[in-house]
């Protein structure tokens, strides 16, 4: 399979879906002439024209609301937020309109729309540009939330999101855009709502998504050298959660560590713990451990930024705790 950067896989998905369906368009700040803040829309303006690749003013609430209206009348907008930190300004349109239109209209209206953009720490961008906000959107009925880690999953999930009849929120790890990975050629669609076991294991399950996946794989490789077999389950979709995959892995390994970039309080990982303790409590041989971002605002200094986030050593320590091998 060819190797593509994460941003190239997203670009390929956008181009293929725009070729497939003339109702699909992309809108956002600098998506046209500048080719996107992270170059995801490279070349799309030349290929599809300014009627379908639309440069928006710096008004997230405005172009989000306009796009919701376009979805209501039959178009399929893909709304690029320069960062999910800025999308906080558009939450009213996302959660009070896009998420609720089908319900409040008794099914008469639909809203096939994708809101996508980078989330999480971007590297010395300080507090206002470094937040992992997946839990905010996963909280609301009416939205689907995806957070792919690999280029292949990014392409496949974006294609599924564009084809979905419901509003989909897509988080792209800000530090993942230049990362390379194999991407299948031809039609490649990843179903929303399906987790993926990225590494088989027998001693402990590590559950994660988005950029934290790479720290989990690093930790699993180091643990293997110590004779500990870790299974890595990439959720990929945060709403709806793949309960079947979560429970199957828990019943296989009997120990669980959940890793997320965001804060612990009201995090997605807390909901995963609730599923496990309510439906697989008797399968556990140890309490579930969580590795999360520290409960502080992100610092600008690189050393403090790194100290704030999960990493392989923190994950390894949590794994050894659930295995009762602390200090080993």
């Amino acid at each position: 399979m060819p190797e593509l950067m994460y941003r190239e896989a997203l670009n390929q998905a956008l181009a293929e879906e725009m070729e497939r369906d003339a109702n699909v368009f992309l809108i956002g700040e600098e998506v046209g002439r500048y080719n996107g803040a992270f170059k995801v829309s490279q070349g799309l303006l030349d290929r599809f024209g300014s009627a379908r690749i639309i440069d928006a003013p710096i008004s997230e609430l405005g172009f989000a609301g306009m796009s919701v209206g376009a979805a209501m009348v039959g178009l399929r907008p893909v709304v690029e937020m320069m960062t999910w930190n800025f999308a906080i300004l558009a939450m009213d349109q996302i959660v009070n309109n896009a998420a609720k239109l089908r319900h409040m209209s008794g099914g008469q209206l639909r809203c096939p729309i994708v809101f996508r953009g980078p989330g999480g720490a971007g590297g010395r961008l300080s507090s206002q540009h470094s937040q992992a906000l997946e839990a905010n959107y996963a909280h609301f009925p009416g939205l689907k939330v995806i957070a792919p880690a690999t280029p292949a999953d990014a392409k496949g999930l974006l294609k599924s999101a564009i084809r979905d009849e419901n509003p989909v929120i897509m988080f792209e790890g800000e530090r993942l855009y230049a990362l390379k990975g194999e991407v299948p050629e031809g039609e490649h669609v990843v179903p929303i709502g399906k987790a993926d076991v990225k590494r088989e294991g027998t001693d402990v399950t590590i559950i994660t998504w988005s950029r934290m996946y790479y720290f989990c794989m690093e930790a699993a490789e180091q643990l293997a050298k110590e004779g500990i077999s870790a299974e890595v389950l990439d959720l990929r979709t945060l709403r709806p959660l793949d309960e079947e995959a979560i429970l199957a892995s828990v019943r296989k390994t009997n120990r669980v560590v959940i890793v997320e970039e965001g804060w612990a309080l009201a995090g997605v990982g807390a909901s995963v713990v609730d599923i496990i303790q309510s439906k697989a409590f008797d399968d556990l041989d140890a309490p579930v451990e969580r590795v999360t971002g520290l409960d502080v605002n992100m610092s600008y200094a690189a050393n403090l930024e790194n100290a704030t986030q999960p990493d392989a050593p923190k994950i390894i320590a949590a794994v050894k705790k659930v295995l009762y091998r602390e200090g080993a």
Side-chain angles (χ1 to χ4, degrees), residues 156-193:
L157 281 168
L158 179 53
K159 288 172 73 72
S160 288
I162 292 170
R163 299 179 190 186
D164 204 287
E165 295 300 318
N166 302 285
V168 180
I169 307 297
M170 183 171 185
F171 285 89
E172 301 155 9
E174 191 162 330
R175 291 185 178 180
L176 296 181
Y177 286 117
L179 181 140
K180 285 190 173 183
E182 291 186 340
V183 178
E185 294 185 280
E187 178 74 346
H188 174 61
V189 178
V190 174
I192 294 174

Side-chain angles (χ1 to χ4, degrees), residues 18-89:
M18 293 183 76
E19 289 282 7
R20 177 179 174 272
D21 187 345
N23 288 320
V24 178
F25 70 90
L26 175 68
I27 184 171
E29 297 157 0
E30 300 184 345
V31 299
R33 285 181 292 175
Y34 191 68
N35 291 305
F38 295 91
K39 305 307 178 208
V40 170
S41 53
Q42 183 87 42
L44 296 185
L45 177 62
D46 293 337
R47 187 169 173 181
F48 295 103
S50 59
R52 297 182 67 193
I53 306 296
I54 304 170
D55 278 320
I58 303 174
S59 178
E60 287 79 8
L61 180 65
F63 64 78
M66 186 194 76
S67 299
V68 169
M72 290 169 63
V73 296
L75 299 179
R76 290 184 175 271
V78 179
V79 184
E80 177 173 309
M81 296 294 178
M82 190 177 288
T83 158
W84 277 103
N85 302 282
F86 301 162
I88 291 171
L89 298 164

